């Protein structure tokens, strides 16, 4: 078991690691706190010293492009209405829906937000009140993986910490959990003080699973046999989606704020007055503001000087930056203008980069979900006495793209016409085919499962050719018949 001083050292080392410092920048930009917030203006004074300029405008506006890019990726990835954890076995699908429903999708969305903004994300497993394993989001910045050796892939402990609350006097109450394969130990830390065992926890250390048995007193505990924390990485280097676009976003902030500063500093015109007729300068200023006139000497003059702001260059640079942010950030630019012909093909092409980014993320997400499914299948098999295998489960992400309603109506109309032509051709050839072949073809056109309805179709009696011939002979009089007509025709 780790000692409190070891836990403190491990948390500090992890917080100052390059991996976590890079993740902190991504988290900060996702929260809309850009480097522009620390931007300062300087000038050289009369003594030649560089000092901060506190008189000029220094507007600091963060433009949260990265927030939009991350939310786009996460929501587009999980935009399908149906469950993405699927099985062709109906009984297994019913069980999987209990584990991977809307609650799981909500927790997974938070995890993927960390993956995109920090470069990695975590979830942990626990036994819920209905004795079913549930998976919950864990803040990526608070998870510390402890290995026996730096080169070892095996995780010996997982330290998970979070700020529970800020107490009176702005004291931060930090809750710390130390997980191993059999139990979890709870600690608490006030500000940067000493780490101590949490006395508010009734069972400390606590087994992974605590339960009660019917007819027996007391509580019992079991170990899961593994540390219930699971990590998904954005890439091998665990870098976030911010890295390709950070410099461009910073440049956009500078261009935009620089333009605002220019406008703020020269918001009013400069009045050049020659031969002022009055007692003092304040009187002239008052006349300009209220009476809109100035008295001058006979040889005096008034000239209004305005300063042209070089906004065109900044505007073009900002438009270029915005275009590159969505291009290299691989996102969908909703403000992008077209020629008015917004067809489904055009819309799909605008989603091309976002699709590519989500396809890369989908590969790692499927590998992550396989680890969770193995645990779920083991629990389902133990409870129900089944023998489901991971091969019985697959993942399918049906991402939704907005479409043109007119295009959709045209496509549906064309499809209906095609089906009508196929049906007419089939019915014209029905006399040359057997009933089963015709029925299968009709089911295929109407997208109906033939195997499900074949037993519900009433059986048609077989045609009796002899009976049909006799019937026809009775209806149509034959030559030489006994009907008294003398064999005449009808």
């Amino acid at each position: 078991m780790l000692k409190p001083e070891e836990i403190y050292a491990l948390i500090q080392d992890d917080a100052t690691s390059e991996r976590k410092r890079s993740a902190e920048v991504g988290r900060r930009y996702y929260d809309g706190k850009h480097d522009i917030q620390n931007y300062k203006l300087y000038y050289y004074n009369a003594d030649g010293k560089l000092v901060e300029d506190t008189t000029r405008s220094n507007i600091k506006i963060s433009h949260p492009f990265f927030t939009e890019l991350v939310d786009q990726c996460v929501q587009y990835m999980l935009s399908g209405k149906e469950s993405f954890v699927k099985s062709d076995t109906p009984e297994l699908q019913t069980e999987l829906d209990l584990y991977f429903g809307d609650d799981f999708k909500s927790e997974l969305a938070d995890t993927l937000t960390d993956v995109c903004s920090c470069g990695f994300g975590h979830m942990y497993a626990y036994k819920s009140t209905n004795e079913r394993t549930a998976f919950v989001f864990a803040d990526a910045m608070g998870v510390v993986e402890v290995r026996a050796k730096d080169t070892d892939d095996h995780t010996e402990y997982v330290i998970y910490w979070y700020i529970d609350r800020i107490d009176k006097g702005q004291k931060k109450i930090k809750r710390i959990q130390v997980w191993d394969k059999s139990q979890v130990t709870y600690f608490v830390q006030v500000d940067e003080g000493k780490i101590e065992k949490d006395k508010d926890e009734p069972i400390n250390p606590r087994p992974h699973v605590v339960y009660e048995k019917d007819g027996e007193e007391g509580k019992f505990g079991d170990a899961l046999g593994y540390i219930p924390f699971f990590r998904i990485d954005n890439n091998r280097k665990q870098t976030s989606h911010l890295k390709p676009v950070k410099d461009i976003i910073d440049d956009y902030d500078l261009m935009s704020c620089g333009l605002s500063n220019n406008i703020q500093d020269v918001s009013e015109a400069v009045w050049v007055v020659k031969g002022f007729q009055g007692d003092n300068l304040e009187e002239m200023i008052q006349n300009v503001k209220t009476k809109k006139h100035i008295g001058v000497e006979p040889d005096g003059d008034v000239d209004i000087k305005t300063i042209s702001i070089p906004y065109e260059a900044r505007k073009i640079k900002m438009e270029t930056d915005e275009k590159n942010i969505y291009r290299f950030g691989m996102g969908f630019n909703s403000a992008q203008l077209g020629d008015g012909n917004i067809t489904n093909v055009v819309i799909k092409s605008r989603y091309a980069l976002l699709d590519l980014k989500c396809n890369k993320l989908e590969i790692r997400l499927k590998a992550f979900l396989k680890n969770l499914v193995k645990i779920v299948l083991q629990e389902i098999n133990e409870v129900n006495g089944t023998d489901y295998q991971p091969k019985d489960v697959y993942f399918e992400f049906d991402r939704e793209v907005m479409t043109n309603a007119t295009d959709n109506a045209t496509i549906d109309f064309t499809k209906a016409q095609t089906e009508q032509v196929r049906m007419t051709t089939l019915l014209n050839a029905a006399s040359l085919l057997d009933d089963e072949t015709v029925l299968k073809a009709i089911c295929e056109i109407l997208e109906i499962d033939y195997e499900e309805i074949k037993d519900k179709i009433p059986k048609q009696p077989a045609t009796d050719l002899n009976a049909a011939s006799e019937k026809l002979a009775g209806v149509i009089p034959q030559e030489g018949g006994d009907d008294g007509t003398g064999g005449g025709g009808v």
Side-chain angles (χ1 to χ4, degrees):
M1 175 59 63
L2 295 175
K3 298 179 180 180
E5 55 270 18
E6 293 176 320
I7 297 172
Y8 180 83
L10 288 168
I11 292 177
Q12 294 301 316
D13 291 344
D14 179 73
T16 56
S17 65
E18 182 179 355
R19 171 173 168 266
K20 281 296 178 68
R21 285 189 286 111
S22 176
E24 181 62 34
V25 175
R27 174 70 63 83
R28 178 162 55 84
Y29 267 68
Y30 178 76
D31 292 336
K33 300 175 182 178
H34 297 185
D35 289 348
I36 192 68
Q37 301 294 328
N38 302 321
Y39 188 70
K40 296 180 180 180
L41 299 175
Y42 294 89
Y43 71 97
Y44 287 97
N45 61 12
D47 299 329
K49 294 182 179 180
L50 185 66
V51 296
E52 183 178 356
D53 190 346
T54 57
T55 60
R56 292 171 57 193
S57 299
N58 187 13
I59 296 173
K60 304 173 182 179
I61 302 176
S62 298
H63 299 81
F65 287 104
F66 185 61
T67 306
E68 181 184 0
L69 290 174
V70 170
D71 289 343
Q72 271 187 10
C73 183
V74 174
Q75 299 305 319
Y76 185 56
M77 189 74 212
L78 304 177
S79 60
K81 296 180 180 179
E82 297 182 358
S83 173
F84 44 80
V85 183
K86 297 185 178 182
S87 174
D88 293 331
T89 306
E91 295 79 10
L92 178 57
Q93 184 65 61
T94 301
E95 293 289 339
L96 292 174
D97 290 341
L98 298 176
Y99 289 88
F100 302 103
D102 292 336
D103 292 339
F104 174 80
K105 183 179 288 190
S106 175
E107 300 293 335
L108 182 60
D110 291 336
T111 302
L112 291 180
T113 299
D114 270 0
V115 172
C116 297
S117 60
C118 300
F120 50 88
H122 293 267
M123 296 188 81
Y124 70 91
Y126 75 99
K127 286 286 186 178
S128 60
T129 54
N130 55 14
E131 298 184 356
R132 184 183 294 113
T133 299
F135 302 96
V136 183
F137 159 76
D139 189 349
M141 302 304 297
V143 178
V144 182
E145 298 176 349
V146 182
R147 296 176 174 82
K149 297 180 181 180
D150 293 339
T151 58
D152 190 4
D153 292 335
H154 173 69
T155 302
E156 191 172 4
Y157 298 98
V158 167
I159 301 174
Y160 181 48
W161 65 267
Y162 59 94
I163 303 299
D164 184 29
R165 68 181 188 276
I166 298 178
D167 216 340
K168 294 181 179 179
Q170 300 298 314
K171 293 182 178 180
K172 295 181 180 180
I173 308 301
K174 181 186 291 185
R175 303 288 179 181
I176 303 173
Q177 305 171 5
V178 180
W179 294 75
D180 58 27
K181 289 186 177 181
S182 59
Q183 62 185 11
V184 54
T185 307
Y186 298 92
F187 296 88
V188 64
Q189 182 185 24
V190 180
D191 278 343
E192 295 300 323
K194 185 179 180 181
I195 296 178
E196 300 176 344
K197 276 196 172 182
D198 193 349
K199 297 180 180 179
D200 294 337
E201 290 291 336
I203 304 176
N204 194 11
R206 175 183 178 273
H208 290 163
V209 182
V210 178
Y211 60 93
E212 297 179 355
K213 292 183 179 180
D214 294 336
E216 298 187 28
E217 296 183 357
K219 295 184 178 181
F220 301 85
D222 281 336
L224 295 175
Y226 59 89
I227 301 177
F229 277 77
F230 306 90
R231 190 188 75 223
I232 172 175
D233 297 333
N234 181 48
N235 49 45
R236 289 184 180 273
K237 296 182 179 180
Q238 297 182 351
T239 56
S240 71
H241 291 174
L242 176 64
K243 189 174 182 179
V245 295
K246 180 181 182 301
D247 293 340
I248 309 176
I249 293 176
D250 289 340
D251 186 68
Y252 187 96
D253 288 342
L254 285 173
M255 292 296 106
S256 178
C257 293
L259 179 59
S260 298
N261 291 332
N262 292 152
I263 296 174
Q264 185 74 18
D265 289 336
V266 292
S267 58
E268 296 183 359
V270 177
W271 294 68
V272 180
V273 181
K274 299 178 182 179
F276 169 61
Q277 183 182 4
D279 295 333
N280 54 46
L281 187 63
E282 292 182 358
E283 180 182 350
M284 183 199 74
I285 296 175
Q286 186 66 21
N287 289 337
V288 169
K289 290 183 177 180
T290 58
K291 301 178 181 180
K292 305 299 182 183
H293 75 270
I294 301 173
V296 296
E297 297 292 342
D299 57 346
D301 188 18
V302 177
D303 189 14
I304 301 176
K305 300 291 185 180
T306 58
I307 301 174
S308 299
I309 301 174
Y311 72 94
E312 283 295 338
R314 290 185 182 273
K315 179 182 177 182
I316 294 173
K317 187 66 173 70
M318 290 167 60
E319 291 175 351
T320 303
D321 283 344
E322 180 177 355
K323 181 179 179 180
N324 288 333
I325 287 171
Y326 286 104
R327 175 188 296 172
F328 300 118
M330 303 177 74
F332 172 77
N333 188 359
S334 57
Q336 184 179 6
L337 299 177
D339 57 359
N341 186 24
I342 310 300
T343 63
N344 286 343
V345 175
V346 174
I347 295 174
K348 188 174 181 179
S349 67
R350 293 182 181 178
Y351 274 88
L353 291 176
L354 183 58
D355 266 320
L356 179 58
K357 181 164 65 173
C358 287
N359 287 339
K360 293 171 62 178
L361 179 60
E362 183 177 323
I363 296 174
R364 292 188 173 272
L365 180 56
K366 286 182 177 180
F368 172 77
L369 291 174
K370 285 181 181 178
N371 294 327
L372 307 187
V373 166
K374 289 179 182 178
I375 296 172
V376 169
L377 290 180
Q378 182 179 354
E379 183 171 291
I380 293 175
N381 291 334
E382 290 177 355
V383 174
N384 300 327
T386 53
D387 188 26
Y388 296 124
Q389 300 297 322
K391 63 181 181 180
D392 299 325
V393 181
Y394 61 96
F395 308 101
E396 189 174 83
F397 294 89
D398 186 18
R399 301 192 288 265
E400 293 186 356
V401 179
M402 61 179 178
T403 56
N404 185 311
T406 303
D407 266 13
N408 293 340
T410 303
I411 292 172
D412 291 340
F413 179 71
T414 304
K415 182 179 178 181
Q417 285 184 320
T418 304
E419 291 179 353
Q420 181 63 41
V421 172
R422 292 178 61 191
M423 185 69 74
T424 302
T425 304
L426 176 63
L427 294 178
N428 290 337
S431 60
L432 305 176
L433 305 172
D434 59 279
D435 293 343
E436 183 178 358
T437 301
V438 174
L439 184 58
K440 285 183 178 179
I442 293 175
C443 290
E444 180 182 353
I445 295 174
L446 300 179
E447 298 181 355
I448 300 174
D449 190 348
Y450 172 76
E451 297 298 330
E452 291 184 0
I453 68 166
K454 66 178 182 179
D455 297 331
K456 301 178 183 179
I457 300 175
K459 300 293 183 181
Q460 298 293 333
T463 303
D464 188 345
L465 296 178
N466 293 330
S469 300
E470 293 177 358
K471 185 176 181 180
L472 289 172
V475 173
I476 302 176
Q478 303 296 321
E479 184 177 355
D482 56 356
D483 56 355
T485 60
V490 178

